[in-house]
């Protein structure tokens, strides 16, 4: 699954039992920037070499 | 010890044969007529791409020919199992309805694109220079009005595209979710093609092949459009 599509589903759709859900990924706050903008950034990082860099970067964040 | 939630199924939900976030073992937490797939976790997980992928993988593996669990949005963590059980029991009727609606179903997303023409930005200076209106703001306002007109026309073409796609695939579609062009990711605007509409369809798993063939036939008959189809995926878009 392309990363942008994965993020848009897993972070923005699906059953919500509690209002206290994730509000950011990769250090970017979805609450303020909006999911579309995050996806815009992520879509440009979908090349394999960039993906490895992104995974490393956000792992370090996490 | 808290609990991280991946998906919700009927009581017959089987434990997925894959690890959870950060390789934590999965467990089933029954509550009334439903069961939740969870893993023990001390605190709410920080979202990373690796964890988002693992969350999705658990849902994918939990889905079987007999049971389509309800995918849960990333990041839901409960300090106490009793709290989660209470929420599941309270929402049991709605959860059962959702389980029934997505039973043996998958979702596909079709993005429709058309070739972009002209600039997507108002160009006051260039137009003003050509018409002698430079500096008055009139050229800018005219180009802005044209831009809004273009956006409205794009939106209408997108909705028409969604309608035609629906008509072509109607016997195979259980439910539909349409995102208009103005809500699509802004990165798309930088591409040579312009996003028209994004349609997500809920389709019976047994009809997945026929659905894909139908989308391809629909696209071939409309060379001015490019249709990107993604799926099948768990029914994230139809359980919220």
């Amino acid at each position: 699954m392309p990363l942008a599509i994965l993020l848009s589903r897993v972070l923005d759709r699906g059953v919500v039992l509690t209002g206290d859900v994730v509000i950011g990924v990769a250090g970017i706050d979805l609450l303020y920037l909006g999911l579309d903008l995050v996806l815009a950034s992520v879509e440009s990082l979908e090349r394999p070499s960039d993906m490895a860099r992104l995974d490393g970067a956000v792992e370090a964040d996490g | 010890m808290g609990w991280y939630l991946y998906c919700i199924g009927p009581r017959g939900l089987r434990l997925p044969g894959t690890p959870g976030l950060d390789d934590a073992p999965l467990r089933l937490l029954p509550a009334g007529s439903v069961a939740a797939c969870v893993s023990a976790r001390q605190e709410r997980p920080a979202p990373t791409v690796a964890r988002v992928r693992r969350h999705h993988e658990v849902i994918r593996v939990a889905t079987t020919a007999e049971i389509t669990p309800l995918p849960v949005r990333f990041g839901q963590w409960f300090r106490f199992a009793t709290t989660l059980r209470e929420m599941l029991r309270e929402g049991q009727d709605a959860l059962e309805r959702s389980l029934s609606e997505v039973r043996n179903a998958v979702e596909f997303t079709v993005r429709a694109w058309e070739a972009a023409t002209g600039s997507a930005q108002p160009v006051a200076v260039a137009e003003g220079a050509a018409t002698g209106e430079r500096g008055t703001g009139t050229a800018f306002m005219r180009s802005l009005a044209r831009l809004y007109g273009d956006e409205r026309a794009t939106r209408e073409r997108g909705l028409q595209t969604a309608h035609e796609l629906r008509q072509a695939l109607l016997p195979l579609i259980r439910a539909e979710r349409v995102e208009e062009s103005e809500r699509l990711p802004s990165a798309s605007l930088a591409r040579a093609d312009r996003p028209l509409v994004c349609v997500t369809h809920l389709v019976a798993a047994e009809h997945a092949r026929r659905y894909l063939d139908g989308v391809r036939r629909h696209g071939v008959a409309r060379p001015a459009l490019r249709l990107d189809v993604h799926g099948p995926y768990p029914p994230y878009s139809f359980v919220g």
Side-chain angles (χ1 to χ4, degrees):
Chain A
M1 183 189 294
L3 182 57
I5 289 180
L6 175 72
L7 293 179
S8 72
R9 278 178 166 70
V10 179
L11 295 176
D12 196 36
R13 298 179 185 182
V15 172
V16 175
L17 287 183
T18 169
D20 192 12
V21 295
V22 62
I23 57 169
V25 66
I28 302 169
D29 195 336
L30 302 183
L31 193 63
Y32 296 106
L33 290 182
L35 185 60
D36 282 359
L37 190 58
V38 175
L39 296 185
S41 305
V42 168
E43 278 188 345
S44 66
L45 289 169
E46 283 192 323
R47 293 188 300 275
S49 57
D50 289 337
M51 264 305 305
R53 187 161 51 82
L54 177 66
D55 269 332
V58 296
E59 283 292 1
D61 277 352
Chain B
M1 177 64 69
W3 297 94
Y4 181 78
L5 177 62
Y6 301 86
C7 60
I8 301 165
R11 283 295 285 261
L13 181 68
R14 292 182 195 153
L15 197 62
T18 190
L21 298 194
D22 303 320
D23 294 328
L26 299 176
R27 290 181 54 175
L28 291 178
L29 189 71
S33 63
V34 299
C37 179
V38 298
S39 63
R41 190 171 184 91
Q42 291 284 4
E43 75 292 312
R44 183 180 310 283
T48 65
V49 172
R51 286 178 180 149
V52 168
R53 287 186 190 281
R54 184 60 65 85
H55 178 100
H56 170 72
E57 180 65 8
V58 169
I59 295 166
R60 193 187 67 76
V61 175
T63 304
T64 65
E66 295 79 31
I67 292 177
T68 304
L70 304 178
V72 166
R73 191 174 304 186
F74 183 92
Q76 295 186 69
W77 175 83
F78 301 82
R79 189 173 301 280
F80 304 108
T82 49
T83 307
L84 175 54
R85 277 202 173 98
E86 282 172 16
M87 284 187 164
L88 290 170
R89 285 200 183 96
E90 284 174 8
Q92 184 173 281
D93 291 346
L95 292 170
E96 284 180 356
R97 276 197 302 277
S98 285
L99 282 166
S100 173
E101 285 165 6
V102 303
R103 189 173 180 207
N104 296 329
V106 292
E107 71 177 39
F108 288 92
T109 291
V110 181
R111 282 186 175 183
W113 309 77
E114 64 178 2
T117 55
S119 171
Q121 301 295 328
V123 283
V125 173
E127 295 202 1
T131 61
E133 295 169 340
R134 184 174 186 170
T136 65
T138 304
F140 178 80
M141 294 308 292
R142 282 180 179 162
S143 62
L144 198 61
R146 191 161 57 244
L147 175 64
Y148 286 140
D150 285 349
E151 287 181 353
R152 190 165 53 244
T154 300
R155 177 174 174 271
E156 287 169 1
R157 287 198 302 281
L159 293 177
Q160 179 63 25
T161 299
H163 172 75
E164 290 174 0
L165 193 60
R166 183 187 316 125
Q167 293 302 311
L169 301 167
L170 199 52
L172 306 176
I173 299 172
R174 278 200 208 171
E176 178 186 71
R177 175 173 171 159
V178 177
E179 290 171 83
E180 297 170 7
S181 58
E182 63 195 30
R183 292 200 63 238
L184 296 179
S186 50
S188 307
L189 299 176
R191 299 184 179 186
D193 291 345
R194 177 162 43 196
L196 267 183
V197 71
C198 179
V199 184
T200 303
H201 287 142
L202 186 69
V203 177
E206 62 179 332
H207 293 150
R209 176 53 56 190
R210 286 179 59 199
Y211 176 86
L212 284 169
D213 290 343
V215 173
R216 290 197 184 102
R217 276 198 305 274
H218 192 74
V220 167
R222 288 159 182 79
L225 289 180
R226 179 162 65 85
L227 301 180
D228 293 340
V229 58
H230 298 277
Y233 301 133
Y236 285 99
S237 307
F238 298 95
V239 297

